Amino acid sequence: MPLLIKTLAHELIAADRDASHAVTCNGQTVRVHRRKELLLPPAPVLMIDADATLLEPFFGHKVDIEEIAVERLAEVHQFSDRTFSKSSLLGQESGGELLGQVRSFIASIAAKGQTLVVASKAIRAAITSEKLSEMGDESVYAGATLAHFNNLRGVNKYSQYQNVIVVGREQPSTTGLEAVARGIWYDSPEPLKLLDDVSGSKPSQWQQRGYRLRDSLASSRAAVHSDWRAQALQEQIREAESTQAIDRLRLLRGHSEGLQRRVFILSSLPLDITVDHLWNWDAVQESLRVIGACNGVVPLNPDHLLAACPDLSSKPTAKRRVADMKGITSLIDILISNLIPSSAHYRAGGQSKYSQVWYDNRLSRQQLRERLSQLAGGAVTFKDDKE
């Protein structure tokens, strides 16, 4: 009761409004929302942090922020067509298909080098089959180390890992977000624009936000709050948790053994990071399925691909799959662990131009020739065949 009265008095002195931000009541429970006080000595303070932005309410005055522009030394891949939300990964709608795809993706990346995977606790538990009540700081799945959001800030133990995979994002509920905003800005003269919806998840609006791509332009929808303070807080919880997870690899420095370091963002949420490759998850998964169905010989000729994978049904579909596969060339070597890919150019009788084929280089040239001849319906020649 003393805290409630003291907090209300402080709010009444600072702001002139009819409804309290600091105190809420649902008919049974009274809650007092109030920020913690910083216990700092009366001396100049220097704070070094990648996401130190919501400082003024705690200090009571404007805080000077100096940004230091740096480049992460890594190849960054992001998937833009899915949020990889808890509901999509854990719900019944997908029948577990998406979760299975994510597990396979993790296994493929972990096979290429030491890998950190970061997700929410619920998604981490679904991937590893852990019990939430027994979950520790980290666990292992398919050779990868799994950790969860809100448990990684300042951790340096993954600084020499080669890969990091961020699965989904830490999306706070609307009601939870607004409760924290009430506490931080309870004495702000400017009233908070709180949402009437109390479902716990529905955003006030959607907004197009751009990716920071290295050589092109693209954007995606993101849920935003109508109040700038609640939105700034949401970005601390959501976007900043993802970038903090990525930065556990300490990517401002190269790997001690000179290894290529890679970041994989399994979420459409634009982050404060430069993206090298923006992918479509469903297109990549379908391409991987087709490649697997081709049994080590993947002709990038629509007619021959249709013969190798009849369930594509039509030449236009096969043509689209060829375009998709050519578009994910940089992912092939990373994601396909059961195929050692090589490339060759060939043509069948009647072809004026050579077609490309990906193949398992454990196959002999004669085996490759026989398989392509079978798919093409006649003898084939390779571009490097001697005249």
Side-chain angles (χ1 to χ4, degrees):
M1 186 62 71
L3 177 63
L4 185 150
I5 294 172
K6 181 180 178 181
T7 302
L8 274 177
H10 194 175
E11 184 178 7
L12 285 168
I13 292 170
D16 180 17
R17 51 175 168 262
D18 295 331
S20 172
H21 289 342
V23 179
T24 57
C25 178
N26 62 7
Q28 294 180 322
T29 304
V30 176
R31 295 184 180 275
V32 179
H33 306 272
R34 183 180 175 126
R35 64 180 174 268
K36 292 183 178 180
E37 299 299 324
L38 292 180
L39 301 177
L40 296 173
V45 175
L46 174 65
M47 301 177 70
I48 302 175
D49 190 86
D51 302 296
T53 55
L54 304 179
L55 300 175
E56 293 183 15
F58 295 92
F59 283 92
H61 57 77
K62 187 179 185 302
V63 177
D64 293 328
I65 297 178
E66 184 71 25
E67 292 189 7
I68 302 174
V70 292
E71 183 75 14
R72 294 176 177 88
L73 303 179
E75 182 180 77
V76 180
H77 302 254
Q78 183 162 6
F79 294 90
S80 62
D81 58 323
R82 287 182 174 272
T83 61
F84 293 85
S85 63
K86 293 177 187 176
S87 59
S88 66
L89 283 164
L90 310 181
Q92 300 299 318
E93 294 181 7
S94 66
E97 181 181 6
L98 182 58
L99 181 62
Q101 291 173 351
V102 170
R103 282 173 164 162
S104 296
F105 185 90
I106 291 170
S108 296
I109 301 303
K112 302 296 183 179
Q114 203 168 15
T115 300
L116 172 66
V117 181
V118 183
S120 69
K121 290 185 76 173
I123 292 175
R124 172 186 159 186
I127 292 171
T128 62
S129 301
E130 296 173 90
K131 292 182 179 180
L132 286 171
S133 60
E134 300 175 359
M135 185 176 286
D137 288 341
E138 63 179 39
S139 54
V140 176
Y141 175 79
T145 302
L146 271 76
H148 56 268
F149 294 125
N150 300 313
N151 196 45
L152 285 166
R153 290 184 177 239
V155 174
N156 200 47
K157 62 191 295 185
Y158 310 112
S159 61
Q160 288 303 304
Y161 275 49
Q162 187 177 355
N163 309 302
V164 58
I165 304 172
V166 178
V167 183
R169 71 278 191 265
E170 188 75 335
Q171 178 72 50
S173 70
T174 300
T175 49
L177 179 68
E178 291 186 345
V180 179
R182 283 175 179 272
I184 296 177
W185 288 281
Y186 78 96
D187 57 352
S188 172
E190 181 186 350
L192 289 162
K193 298 176 183 176
L194 302 174
L195 304 180
D196 293 331
D197 178 88
V198 292
S199 65
S201 61
K202 185 176 180 181
S204 58
Q205 59 188 11
W206 292 91
Q207 186 179 88
Q208 285 293 126
R209 295 197 154 192
Y211 297 103
R212 194 169 74 220
L213 297 178
R214 195 169 297 282
D215 56 7
S216 60
L217 297 173
S219 65
S220 181
R221 280 198 327 162
V224 298
H225 197 285
S226 56
D227 189 279
W228 68 268
R229 291 157 294 185
Q231 177 57 24
L233 180 60
Q234 176 165 256
E235 291 177 11
Q236 278 281 303
I237 298 170
R238 188 179 62 185
E239 281 87 341
E241 277 301 314
S242 291
T243 53
Q244 283 282 343
I246 291 167
D247 289 337
R248 293 315 90 207
L249 268 62
R250 304 304 190 193
L251 297 172
L252 303 188
R253 304 179 184 88
H255 193 276
S256 61
E257 297 178 11
L259 300 176
Q260 171 66 64
R261 312 184 77 186
R262 295 186 176 94
V263 174
F264 300 91
I265 306 168
L266 274 59
S267 168
S268 60
L269 180 68
L271 302 176
D272 181 20
I273 186 170
T274 301
V275 177
D276 296 285
H277 305 284
L278 199 62
W279 306 112
N280 181 292
W281 179 266
D282 289 342
V284 169
Q285 293 301 314
E286 176 61 12
S287 294
L288 292 175
R289 185 195 70 79
V290 170
I291 290 169
C294 287
N295 295 318
V297 178
V298 187
L300 300 185
N301 174 297
D303 292 316
H304 305 161
L305 182 64
L306 186 57
C309 191
D311 66 359
L312 291 176
S313 301
S314 68
K315 184 175 178 178
T317 301
K319 193 172 183 178
R320 287 195 297 272
R321 292 288 81 80
V322 168
D324 288 341
M325 287 190 290
K326 286 182 176 180
I328 67 166
T329 301
S330 59
L331 273 178
I332 294 300
D333 186 48
I334 302 172
L335 294 179
I336 301 178
S337 56
N338 62 342
L339 177 70
I340 304 173
S342 290
S343 176
H345 290 82
Y346 73 98
R347 66 181 176 187
Q351 279 187 264
S352 58
K353 296 181 178 179
Y354 285 95
S355 298
Q356 188 179 12
V357 60
W358 293 338
Y359 65 95
D360 187 332
N361 65 14
R362 290 170 294 191
L363 295 174
S364 68
R365 178 55 66 99
Q366 184 58 32
Q367 288 174 314
L368 178 61
R369 190 187 302 274
E370 289 174 358
R371 177 57 176 159
L372 286 174
S373 297
Q374 181 186 17
L375 296 175
V380 301
T381 58
F382 292 104
K383 194 173 184 178
D384 57 357
D385 281 346
K386 293 182 178 180
E387 296 294 338

